[in-house]
Amino acid sequence: MAAAARNPFAIAIESFVVDIKRNEDTQTPFYKEVIAQAWCAAESGSQEVNHAEQLSTFIEDLAQKHERESKTLWVSKKLGPFVAGMNEYAKACDVMIQAAPSAVVLLYGGARLVLLMASSIIKAFDSVLAIMEQIGHLLKPYELFSRAYHSSTDMQSLLVESYKNIITFWQKASKLLSRKKYKLFASSLVKPLDTEWQKCSDGLKQDSINIQRLAQATEAMKSQERDEKKENKKQQELRKQIVGWIKSKEDDATVDLRRDMDANLGIRYGHSCEWLLEHPDFRAWKDATETTSLWYSAPPGTGKTILTSTIARHLQDRGFKTATFFFSFSDTVKRKPLTAIRCLALQLLTHTVSIPDKVLRLYEEDLEHHCLGLSNPRVAIEVCETLMKHIGRIHILVDGLDECGDFAPEQLARDALGPSRPRPQSCCAGNSNDRQQMFDFFCRLLNAKTLGIVKWFFSSRPELDIRASMQKHNVTIIEPPMTDLLGDIGSYVRTQMENKLGRHCEVCVEYWTTASEGNFLWVTLMLQIMEGEGTACDEEIEEELEKFPRGLTGCYLRSLNHLINRPERLQQLARRIFAMVVGAVQPLRLSEISQALAATPAAKGIPRANVIEELCSNLIVFDRSQDGDKSDPLLKIPHKSIYDFFQQDPRSLGAREDLHQFFISPKAANLELGLSSLTYLMDARYQQKQDVAQLLNVPEHSFLKHAAIFWYWYLSHADHSQAIFENVRQFLKSPAFGTCVTVQSELAPHLFARYSQTGRSCFQPELSGADSKETEGDVSYAVPLPSWLDEYEPDGFLIDRAICNFVMEWHAVLNSYPSALERCLSNQDWYTLMPGWNTWASKRANSYALCPKSLIDLDYAQLIIKDLQATRGPSEQMTAVLFGLQITDTGILPQWLRVDVGPEGLIPSEGSRPKSPVATGYNSDGVFFSRRHAWGSHCSVLNLEDLRVETLHFEAGTPTAFVPEALERHQSHLRLGKWHVLSQSNFHVPNNASVDQRGVALHCESRDPYAYSDAPREDSTYGSLTASSHDSSEESDDSASDAGSSDSEEQQQLRHAMVFLDGASPPIYVFWKQSTRHFQSKCAFHPTELLAVWSHSAQELCITHLDSGRTESTVLPEPAEVKLSSASAMRKEFYFSETGDHLFYLLYLASETPTGLQQTVSVSSFNFALVEGEGYLLSRRPPTHTISYECSGSLQYPLLLTSWSSAYLYIALPSLACKPKMLRIRLSYGSTLEEKASTGFQTLRDPIFFPHSSPRRDPKIRMLEDYQSKGQDTLTLLLNAEISRNAPGLNGSSKPRRRPELLTWDIASENDWRDWDPKVDAQPEELETGKSQIEILRGTFVDSKQRFHVPIRSGLNWTKKAFLSCA
């Protein structure tokens, strides 16, 4: 109550009520009936809601009374607005009424009194009713606005005024109604009552107007506040996004320079460094009213970083805006100039009130080009320039210019490459010379035009290139006066001696101060050494003083001198420690270096941690500052001067002869690390097949990660010899190499990535991709091998070539499926050359090269697998039928070769070939068909240049050529492009027949380079595809059109053709136009009738009569749940049952999505019958099975692979260059038992993997059911030879790059398959990671703050090498 009474408006009402009570005559009805009750209510604490209810009850009673007496009607209706308005008004006054309880009694009691007194005077009563109705309307604004503006003082003031007006009216109205003369002459009462009401009404109306004005003004103000708040929130969100963009992927610890400054100031002693604040040049710099710059140049160890931090804090304490950055040679990120610009930009951004328009535009431009981080140096500089213009005065301090650049082993490695080694290139745009890039950055910023004042402060060693740059830009140079440095050092030495050594010796202080030559680092190291040696008296201290060397070099040499007194084995251990720490690509942990040190034949075990730390002395620090590093610290070099010290020629330092062993050249460090890694990897623990992923988390294998990922790098940049090669050869041929590859695949997949060249010396890392670029030489593959391996012939060359080919074939598996190493199949040549790989070989899969090595040295246009025949039973033998077209100077030399594949391996049988080359105009990309898989009297050759077919009758001596009549009419069109075979359907016959195949149907497409700029290259039947702009259509042959083409109707018809060959009769041609850009059609040959069925459009089945060449059509019912019009690619395929009365229809659709390919597979079955008078008709037999599947990648021919048997259809869905999705579905022939057994689609429980070259080698799959035993099937993949185009012969022929290959997998017919589960199978795991390719390829081991480095080989020529450095 007391708290509410403090409300000034409640006090005003209470005061008003008191005044009424004091001034009102106690004999008046108003006093007796209202005021007196108000005071009673105040004492009893009654609530206003009771009075409101009483008023409502009174009005209802009054209304009923008037209705009974037939006086004024509709009393309740007229007083309804009044009661509602009073209640809303009372709620608006809630706080004030609670503070003055009597006020509510006056409000409601006064109304009740006026109504009661007026009810006995009819004419007055009508007037009072009208007045009260108006009061209710006038109080309406309070209902609308009081809740929204309840806390407004202006609103409360208006509430008080309205209250006074209402109460005053009740008071005066009651007086008028109580006068006797008005009771006698009621008509005379109306006028004075109206007069009093007019006064009250004017007040209430004015209050109402004021309320609405107040509401409008308040709403406008609140709207403005909301807009400002919304804009502020928008700006904050935008600022947050821009901060994230500038930060790129740097963590908070990198960009938050406060931590560095606090750490530096924590080291600062007393009032050191303050001498600079009084230096004339510094004061002039600080007081200048224009942009100026200052460079503090001092030798190493003089406290430049501490001094820079002191100046920054000094400026901040005086209210100046600052931006700082500290370069650090030991931090792979903070030694990069781009990191400096990012950090400065972030700090400059905090000093700007709003985001400059140009910065916003640069940010939006980067987003438009999908750059989520500020990675372009030019843009970063523009951001800094723009932000500087929007700050009135800013002090920018940059420390450690000399520590900018590559000081880590990757730089040393590059320096050690020599003239014959491949030079490094960059995976991204940018200058690889960090030091020069830094000069370019700050040169531009120093010359930038600003609207305010920019004070630049630099600090570094007095290196020549830095001095030249500073002088070029007229930067004021400050060099520390020796007296000031010695003064700071003297104070420091005095305090440290007293606190740590317990000595007070002014002579010692003076001596050491003078001996320091102004070098804080020297003094610090000296005091640490003295403290550790435990001198007992002043004499011993003085004795040590005489021995202690001058300068940092002397101090470091003294640390090495202590090691000479150790046993020889400890000296060698220290030497190896220094070599490994200085040369390591990334810092080693204690556990890693401990195990690396034990990886020598002479080592007797892992050295103890305390021994390692003791041998490191003060030259190497054990960094336990990071989380999780306390028990396993990182070994680091604490100061760049120590790093430089180890790299110097010890003779130039005057070092003793026995100290020379501790100095490390880059090549020696690399050799030490490389050999230790190799020895460690050759340990017996890694000579077996095992779960490598589990080993990686076991402490006993700590060095396994580093050794496996960097061994090749160290040896690539070290001097090599025959002995070192023998070690490498032994390792590569051992099972340990498989362990190493698995570790690399698990932790550093970039070592097996594909790199597409996007510009000069610029590459884009990829998991995998289509191969169309390979023929142009702009695709390379990472191959983690020493760069000199191929120089050691013959073994080195052969091993190098074999591993390069292996990586190119299986890189997509190696960089994405680290546990699938055993599923990367190779032929026997690989296992012979790499015997250790047998340990990792799968027992259920094999690979066979199907022709002798001697064929590789000949020129071939084709070397393909024509057929695979299986002999079941005890022999378990497969026979591969190969066909080759050897190119000679006088013509082509067709030849057949049969190769038996059985338990004993490959057994080539005698081939078949003509006695002399065939003189023909045959083109190397053509198709050769013969009924027999042997040289005979009849064969057909389809020339893909113009679809001409030559039927060769060699017994007659003259070939006969057939040219399609339609092609003859359009010779001009034929010169625009060539034809490509999209699919091939063979008409096979039983093995005991007189011929091997009866015919073939070829779906060909004309690739017009002018009409289709995205067509595959002409030298490859199978290539990468790009989605066409043409939409799919379900129109018939007569209505379809190529919407985007300018060709005529006749020319469009020539784009697709189905060509039927049988080797003897004239060919059959069927041409059509096709609106679906990527379309394939495969025929089914009827087993008993001379006809073939196929389809080229929706709802239409084509039936070609092979005897007459006539093609008719019938209706093909498409699957109801599949929408053909939305597909980017389509394939239609058919299969006849053995009796020919059942036809099975496979429909495949694919559409490109932002994440890959969305695919739909549908299988339908029909009854196929000839109906007299109607021709051949189809009738669907349910069910139709349909699934959807999404995978990464883009469209690539072939769209899918299939294998039909009488029981099952087997399908391999993309990606056919890595991990196909294998499906099977039981073919239903209508029996009840079959329907129950049919469960729809099934997929393999465990995946299989295809070589990367599969799509471009005309792949075919075939399932040999019950091949080895009942219930055991064999899946086969047939791959043709890959013909290299690098050494062309006649008609563009070349030597085979890869021989024809047969891959087999043993599949248990029941146990290895499971039912398709849409929740599990519809989308592969790789689409769910949410990571970019570069994030995946970086892996988890290489420090995220540094670049990763990879050796690459050209996809076109494996002998071409380079090194990439990737951010």
Side-chain angles (χ1 to χ4, degrees):
M1 186 71 179
R6 287 195 294 270
N7 186 303
F9 302 101
I11 294 173
I13 287 182
E14 190 173 10
S15 176
F16 172 71
V17 172
V18 171
D19 289 342
I20 288 179
K21 179 175 181 281
R22 183 176 57 248
N23 299 328
E24 183 68 17
D25 185 353
T26 57
Q27 299 302 315
T28 62
F30 190 76
Y31 188 93
K32 293 178 180 179
E33 300 295 333
V34 180
I35 296 177
Q37 290 187 20
W39 247 250
C40 291
E43 293 177 359
S44 64
S46 66
Q47 300 299 316
E48 72 277 3
V49 66
N50 297 330
H51 297 287
E53 290 177 357
Q54 290 175 7
L55 178 62
S56 298
T57 303
F58 171 76
I59 291 173
E60 290 177 3
D61 294 342
L62 189 62
Q64 293 176 4
K65 178 182 178 182
H66 277 252
E67 289 177 4
R68 287 196 303 267
E69 298 175 357
S70 300
K71 295 180 180 180
T72 304
L73 302 177
W74 313 111
V75 173
S76 297
K77 184 176 181 181
K78 289 188 176 182
L79 291 179
F82 169 74
V83 174
M86 287 287 285
N87 287 338
E88 291 298 330
Y89 176 78
K91 292 178 183 178
C93 298
D94 181 61
V95 175
M96 296 179 288
I97 288 176
Q98 287 182 16
S102 58
V104 70
V105 181
L106 295 180
L107 187 64
Y108 286 102
R112 182 174 178 276
L113 176 62
V114 171
L115 281 172
L116 180 62
M117 295 177 69
S119 63
S120 59
I121 308 173
I122 297 177
K123 291 186 178 180
F125 187 64
D126 291 339
S127 295
V128 169
L129 288 179
I131 289 171
M132 288 191 169
E133 186 177 11
Q134 293 181 53
I135 289 175
H137 291 303
L138 290 173
L139 293 178
K140 192 68 174 177
Y142 288 106
E143 177 186 359
L144 299 174
F145 304 117
S146 62
R147 294 179 184 176
Y149 311 108
H150 187 274
S151 60
S152 169
T153 56
D154 293 329
M155 175 62 72
Q156 293 180 359
S157 177
L158 290 171
L159 286 171
V160 172
E161 292 302 317
S162 297
Y163 181 84
K164 290 179 180 180
N165 287 328
I166 294 170
I167 301 302
T168 301
F169 176 72
W170 297 153
Q171 183 186 26
K172 293 184 177 181
S174 64
K175 285 183 180 181
L176 289 173
L177 292 170
S178 65
R179 293 181 184 179
K180 293 183 179 180
K181 65 174 183 177
Y182 292 138
K183 293 182 180 180
L184 297 174
F185 305 99
S187 59
S188 62
L189 175 62
V190 175
K191 186 174 181 180
L193 190 62
D194 287 343
T195 301
E196 291 301 330
W197 165 242
Q198 190 63 44
K199 294 178 182 178
C200 178
S201 174
D202 290 343
L204 290 176
K205 288 179 179 178
Q206 187 60 46
D207 291 343
S208 178
I209 293 172
N210 291 338
I211 287 173
Q212 295 183 51
R213 290 176 177 173
L214 172 64
Q216 291 173 354
T218 305
E219 181 59 32
M221 181 176 65
K222 287 193 173 185
S223 177
Q224 183 178 358
E225 291 176 353
R226 285 195 298 269
D227 291 343
E228 290 176 355
K229 187 176 181 180
K230 185 177 179 181
E231 181 63 26
N232 289 338
K233 185 177 181 180
K234 179 181 177 182
Q235 286 295 319
Q236 290 173 2
E237 184 62 29
L238 182 60
R239 184 178 288 266
K240 182 179 179 181
Q241 293 172 359
I242 290 181
V243 166
W245 169 62
I246 295 175
K247 282 180 64 176
S248 191
K249 294 182 180 179
E250 309 296 359
D251 54 29
D252 292 342
T254 299
V255 299
D256 186 0
L257 276 300
R258 295 175 301 177
R259 302 183 185 185
D260 291 347
M261 187 177 298
D262 291 342
N264 296 334
L265 294 174
I267 301 173
R268 181 191 173 203
Y269 169 74
H271 298 283
S272 61
C273 303
E274 290 185 355
W275 61 266
L276 183 63
L277 304 178
E278 301 301 324
H279 194 285
D281 289 338
F282 178 82
R283 295 181 65 178
W285 172 81
K286 188 178 74 170
D287 297 338
T289 57
E290 59 184 2
T291 296
T292 184
S293 51
L294 194 65
W295 175 41
Y296 177 69
S297 172
T302 53
K304 296 181 291 297
T305 301
I306 308 301
L307 181 139
T308 302
S309 300
T310 301
I311 293 173
R313 183 55 53 85
H314 170 80
L315 294 169
Q316 292 170 359
D317 291 344
R318 283 151 183 77
F320 292 113
K321 298 175 181 177
T322 64
T324 60
F325 184 77
F326 302 91
F327 281 107
S328 174
F329 90 100
S330 61
D331 190 310
T332 56
V333 175
K334 290 183 180 178
R335 66 179 179 224
K336 299 295 182 183
L338 183 57
T339 304
I341 300 302
R342 284 175 178 159
C343 291
L344 293 176
L346 288 171
Q347 296 173 75
L348 293 172
L349 184 63
T350 62
H351 296 309
T352 57
V353 178
S354 61
I355 300 171
D357 292 339
K358 185 174 181 180
V359 172
L360 182 58
R361 178 174 58 79
L362 293 171
Y363 165 66
E364 291 173 345
E365 286 179 356
D366 260 14
L367 287 187
E368 289 176 2
H369 292 83
H370 313 292
C371 297
L372 303 182
L374 182 55
S375 57
N376 189 319
R378 176 191 60 79
V379 177
I381 291 296
E382 288 190 49
V383 169
C384 277
E385 285 180 333
T386 304
L387 292 172
M388 289 191 306
K389 290 180 181 179
H390 287 75
I391 303 174
R393 174 169 176 164
I394 184 70
H395 299 76
I396 303 178
L397 300 91
V398 183
D399 171 67
L401 298 181
D402 54 297
E403 299 191 36
C404 172
D406 272 332
F407 299 99
E410 58 259 29
Q411 176 65 36
L412 302 178
R414 289 199 288 267
D415 295 339
L417 283 173
S420 62
R421 299 268 69 83
R423 307 304 296 176
Q425 301 181 55
S426 176
C427 281
C428 57
N431 191 340
S432 60
N433 188 335
D434 288 335
R435 180 70 73 93
Q436 184 57 49
Q437 190 180 61
M438 177 193 68
F439 289 143
D440 294 341
F441 285 176
F442 289 118
C443 172
R444 179 168 172 178
L445 291 175
L446 285 169
N447 293 327
K449 294 181 180 180
T450 60
L451 303 178
I453 300 172
V454 181
K455 302 295 186 69
W456 288 93
F457 182 90
F458 302 101
S459 66
S460 73
R461 297 183 186 187
E463 296 184 358
L464 293 178
D465 56 345
I466 299 177
R467 181 177 294 276
S469 181
M470 295 298 170
Q471 291 174 342
K472 178 181 178 181
H473 294 91
N474 298 318
V475 177
T476 302
I477 301 174
I478 293 181
E479 295 180 344
M482 185 58 67
T483 55
D484 293 323
L485 288 178
L486 294 178
D488 285 350
I489 291 175
S491 299
Y492 172 72
V493 171
R494 184 178 296 106
T495 302
Q496 293 298 310
M497 282 192 64
E498 292 176 354
N499 295 340
K500 293 189 175 182
L501 298 180
R503 296 286 187 272
H504 180 75
C505 176
E506 283 298 323
V507 175
C508 299
V509 171
E510 182 178 354
Y511 180 88
W512 281 342
T513 300
T514 304
S516 71
E517 298 177 351
N519 196 300
F520 262 101
L521 181 59
W522 181 87
V523 168
T524 302
L525 295 173
M526 178 271 300
L527 288 173
Q528 291 175 354
I529 294 173
M530 296 299 292
E531 181 183 2
E533 292 181 352
T535 51
C537 60
D538 290 347
E539 288 75 13
E540 291 184 7
I541 294 177
E542 292 177 5
E543 183 180 349
E544 288 299 324
L545 287 177
E546 295 297 329
K547 299 178 183 178
F548 206 86
R550 299 292 181 97
L552 284 177
T553 298
C555 185
Y556 301 152
L557 288 172
R558 188 176 190 275
S559 297
L560 295 180
N561 280 330
H562 286 286
L563 296 174
I564 295 301
N565 299 324
R566 299 295 185 96
E568 178 64 23
R569 64 180 183 82
L570 292 182
Q571 291 184 42
Q572 291 304 311
L573 187 62
R575 178 193 64 77
R576 296 186 65 209
I577 292 172
F578 295 146
M580 290 181 180
V581 173
V582 171
V585 173
Q586 68 182 37
L588 292 164
R589 294 193 178 277
L590 178 59
S591 61
E592 292 176 314
I593 200 169
S594 298
Q595 295 181 15
L597 292 170
T600 58
K604 297 181 179 180
I606 297 177
R608 296 192 304 273
N610 63 325
V611 174
I612 296 175
E613 192 160 6
E614 183 181 348
L615 291 175
C616 288
S617 185
N618 57 351
L619 299 176
I620 294 174
V621 298
F622 285 59
D623 185 2
R624 295 181 172 90
S625 61
Q626 301 182 28
D627 294 338
D629 291 347
K630 293 182 179 179
S631 61
D632 194 14
L634 287 170
L635 275 65
K636 293 182 178 180
I637 295 176
H639 198 269
K640 184 174 180 294
S641 60
I642 300 175
Y643 191 88
D644 295 339
F645 168 76
F646 277 118
Q647 303 293 323
Q648 295 183 68
D649 183 349
R651 291 170 296 184
S652 66
L653 303 177
R656 292 165 40 183
E657 186 72 25
D658 51 3
L659 295 182
H660 289 192
Q661 61 179 317
F662 300 111
F663 289 83
I664 307 125
S665 69
K667 290 185 177 181
N670 288 327
L671 184 60
E672 183 70 49
L673 283 159
L675 291 178
S676 295
S677 299
L678 210 59
T679 303
Y680 184 86
L681 292 171
M682 285 290 289
D683 189 84
R685 296 175 295 173
Y686 309 126
Q687 300 285 0
Q688 56 188 326
K689 182 179 178 181
Q690 56 192 313
D691 187 349
V692 175
Q694 289 188 353
L695 296 183
L696 299 177
N697 298 316
V698 178
E700 287 74 13
H701 304 276
S702 295
F703 190 54
L704 177 59
K705 304 175 186 179
H706 192 102
I709 292 172
F710 297 121
W711 75 270
Y712 73 91
W713 175 265
Y714 293 131
L715 293 181
S716 290
H717 304 94
D719 289 330
H720 52 92
S721 64
Q722 184 67 37
I724 294 175
F725 165 70
E726 289 299 330
N727 288 338
V728 172
R729 184 176 69 87
Q730 182 183 0
F731 166 64
L732 296 177
K733 287 177 171 285
S734 73
F737 181 50
T739 303
C740 175
V741 170
T742 305
V743 174
Q744 293 171 329
S745 179
E746 181 79 40
L747 301 177
H750 59 269
L751 295 178
F752 302 109
R754 166 190 168 109
Y755 295 83
S756 296
Q757 189 163 3
T758 57
R760 184 178 180 182
S761 298
C762 194
F763 290 77
Q764 176 65 42
E766 301 170 338
L767 291 167
S768 188
D771 288 337
S772 61
K773 293 181 179 180
E774 260 187 24
T775 55
E776 301 170 11
D778 57 0
V779 170
S780 299
Y781 297 91
V783 182
L785 291 175
S787 57
W788 42 259
L789 182 61
D790 59 332
E791 298 177 17
Y792 291 87
E793 297 192 33
D795 271 10
F797 179 87
L798 294 176
I799 292 173
D800 192 47
R801 181 179 66 182
I803 295 177
C804 286
N805 287 333
F806 179 84
V807 171
M808 291 177 188
E809 278 288 69
W810 297 106
H811 69 277
V813 178
L814 295 174
N815 64 43
S816 299
Y817 306 97
S819 62
L821 182 63
E822 68 171 13
R823 304 180 193 184
C824 300
L825 306 182
S826 291
N827 58 48
Q828 191 57 41
D829 294 342
W830 166 263
Y831 294 108
T832 301
L833 183 64
M834 309 287 290
W837 212 258
N838 284 284
T839 302
W840 294 88
S842 172
K843 306 303 181 185
R844 299 182 59 188
N846 288 288
S847 175
Y848 306 93
L850 295 179
C851 68
K853 293 182 181 179
S854 59
L855 294 181
I856 297 180
D857 297 327
L858 303 176
D859 285 342
Y860 275 87
Q862 291 182 7
L863 191 54
I864 61 179
I865 305 174
K866 278 290 187 179
D867 194 10
L868 182 68
Q869 300 168 354
T871 303
R872 293 173 175 82
S875 62
E876 296 180 2
Q877 180 174 293
M878 292 178 285
T879 300
V881 180
L882 279 68
F883 174 74
L885 282 174
Q886 183 184 348
I887 304 300
T888 68
D889 294 336
T890 57
I892 62 173
L893 192 60
Q895 51 188 293
W896 295 91
L897 178 66
R898 291 177 179 267
V899 179
D900 294 333
V901 181
E904 303 301 323
L906 298 180
I907 307 175
S909 60
E910 185 176 352
S912 175
R913 58 190 292 178
K915 296 180 180 180
S916 60
V918 179
T920 177
Y922 171 74
N923 179 269
S924 61
D925 288 328
V927 178
F928 189 98
F929 174 80
S930 174
R931 287 194 172 194
R932 293 288 298 171
H933 296 326
W935 187 248
S937 58
H938 297 87
C939 63
S940 297
V941 180
L942 174 66
N943 192 323
L944 294 178
E945 289 291 339
D946 53 12
L947 287 190
R948 297 173 185 267
V949 174
E950 290 184 89
T951 300
L952 305 179
H953 300 270
F954 292 104
E955 292 180 356
T958 304
T960 303
F962 296 93
V963 181
E965 182 181 350
L967 295 179
E968 287 284 355
R969 298 197 304 267
H970 301 284
Q971 291 297 321
S972 60
H973 173 67
L974 296 180
R975 290 194 294 268
L976 294 179
K978 64 184 296 185
W979 294 82
H980 295 258
V981 177
L982 298 181
S983 69
Q984 180 173 318
S985 307
N986 293 308
F987 190 179
H988 291 287
V989 296
N991 290 339
N992 57 359
S994 59
V995 296
D996 294 303
Q997 53 185 351
R998 189 176 299 174
V1000 65
L1002 303 166
H1003 175 194
C1004 303
E1005 180 187 16
S1006 173
R1007 298 282 169 80
D1008 181 351
Y1010 296 97
Y1012 296 113
S1013 60
D1014 61 344
R1017 290 176 53 82
E1018 294 184 4
D1019 56 0
S1020 176
T1021 302
Y1022 299 94
S1024 174
L1025 300 178
T1026 304
S1028 172
S1029 60
H1030 302 302
D1031 292 327
S1032 300
S1033 173
E1034 297 186 8
E1035 297 178 281
S1036 67
D1037 179 47
D1038 294 331
S1039 60
S1041 64
D1042 271 335
S1045 176
S1046 59
D1047 294 336
S1048 68
E1049 186 77 9
E1050 289 181 313
Q1051 289 173 331
Q1052 289 181 19
Q1053 288 178 325
L1054 293 179
R1055 294 253 164 77
H1056 285 264
M1058 189 69 74
V1059 182
F1060 296 90
L1061 305 176
D1062 67 359
S1065 305
I1068 300 172
Y1069 295 90
V1070 182
F1071 297 93
W1072 77 91
K1073 54 190 176 182
Q1074 184 67 50
S1075 59
T1076 303
R1077 177 62 183 95
H1078 308 304
F1079 177 80
Q1080 285 182 294
S1081 180
K1082 288 204 71 173
C1083 288
F1085 291 94
H1086 197 281
T1088 60
E1089 304 289 338
L1090 287 177
L1091 57 86
V1093 299
W1094 52 286
S1095 176
H1096 61 70
S1097 63
Q1099 310 292 338
E1100 182 178 6
L1101 179 71
C1102 296
I1103 303 171
T1104 298
H1105 296 265
L1106 302 178
D1107 51 356
S1108 64
R1110 180 176 60 88
T1111 297
E1112 60 180 287
S1113 64
T1114 188
V1115 175
L1116 173 64
E1118 300 288 356
E1121 64 272 25
V1122 175
K1123 187 177 181 181
L1124 279 68
S1125 60
S1126 60
S1128 303
M1130 182 189 307
R1131 172 161 162 167
K1132 294 185 160 201
E1133 184 170 346
F1134 299 88
Y1135 175 78
F1136 273 114
S1137 64
E1138 293 180 354
T1139 58
D1141 55 351
H1142 297 286
L1143 180 66
F1144 298 94
Y1145 169 36
L1146 166 65
L1147 174 64
Y1148 169 84
L1149 304 173
S1151 299
E1152 291 185 313
T1153 67
T1155 56
L1157 285 179
Q1158 182 64 52
Q1159 304 165 85
T1160 301
V1161 180
S1162 180
V1163 176
S1164 308
S1165 60
F1166 303 94
N1167 290 320
F1168 182 83
L1170 176 63
V1171 178
E1172 186 175 354
E1174 297 186 32
Y1176 289 98
L1177 297 179
L1178 298 179
S1179 59
R1180 185 193 297 274
R1181 289 201 324 274
T1184 295
H1185 297 281
T1186 302
I1187 62 167
S1188 294
Y1189 175 67
E1190 187 176 5
C1191 71
S1192 58
S1194 58
L1195 283 171
Q1196 186 175 8
Y1197 278 135
L1199 299 176
L1200 73 162
L1201 303 179
T1202 58
S1203 174
W1204 298 82
S1205 73
S1206 60
Y1208 287 98
L1209 163 62
Y1210 300 90
I1211 304 172
L1213 295 178
S1215 165
L1216 302 180
C1218 177
K1219 184 183 178 183
K1221 191 67 172 180
M1222 294 300 304
L1223 307 175
R1224 80 170 180 179
I1225 185 170
R1226 183 184 294 274
L1227 302 181
S1228 172
Y1229 292 91
S1231 69
T1232 304
L1233 183 62
E1234 286 177 343
E1235 293 297 338
K1236 290 182 179 179
S1238 178
T1239 57
F1241 282 97
Q1242 293 182 308
T1243 186
L1244 286 176
R1245 296 183 185 277
D1246 297 319
I1248 62 172
F1249 296 90
F1250 285 0
H1252 181 66
S1253 64
S1254 297
R1256 63 177 183 265
R1257 296 171 67 183
D1258 190 13
K1260 294 176 281 292
I1261 62 170
R1262 183 176 175 187
M1263 183 68 79
L1264 305 179
E1265 296 174 341
D1266 294 334
Y1267 171 60
Q1268 297 181 359
S1269 61
K1270 188 171 181 60
Q1272 188 74 21
D1273 303 334
T1274 297
L1275 173 65
T1276 64
L1277 174 66
L1278 310 176
L1279 300 175
N1280 293 338
E1282 185 176 10
I1283 305 298
S1284 172
R1285 304 297 179 183
N1286 295 332
L1290 182 67
N1291 294 329
S1293 65
S1294 239
K1295 303 182 186 304
R1297 181 181 177 185
R1298 290 185 175 89
R1299 290 181 284 170
E1301 198 167 357
L1302 169 65
L1303 285 76
T1304 67
W1305 294 266
D1306 295 337
I1307 307 292
S1309 180
E1310 298 299 331
N1311 295 335
D1312 286 341
W1313 296 93
R1314 61 171 175 81
D1315 290 341
W1316 178 270
D1317 184 352
K1319 295 180 180 179
V1320 176
D1321 299 312
Q1323 187 180 65
E1325 294 179 1
E1326 55 264 25
L1327 290 180
E1328 301 173 0
T1329 62
K1331 292 184 178 180
S1332 65
Q1333 290 199 53
I1334 188 66
E1335 289 175 321
I1336 296 173
L1337 290 172
R1338 169 175 282 278
T1340 58
F1341 182 72
V1342 177
D1343 191 343
S1344 60
K1345 296 180 179 180
Q1346 72 178 35
R1347 291 172 172 266
F1348 60 81
H1349 307 276
V1350 289
I1352 60 171
R1353 305 294 183 94
S1354 169
L1356 190 63
N1357 181 357
W1358 65 273
T1359 62
K1360 292 180 63 176
K1361 311 170 189 175
F1363 284 109
L1364 296 184
S1365 176
C1366 304

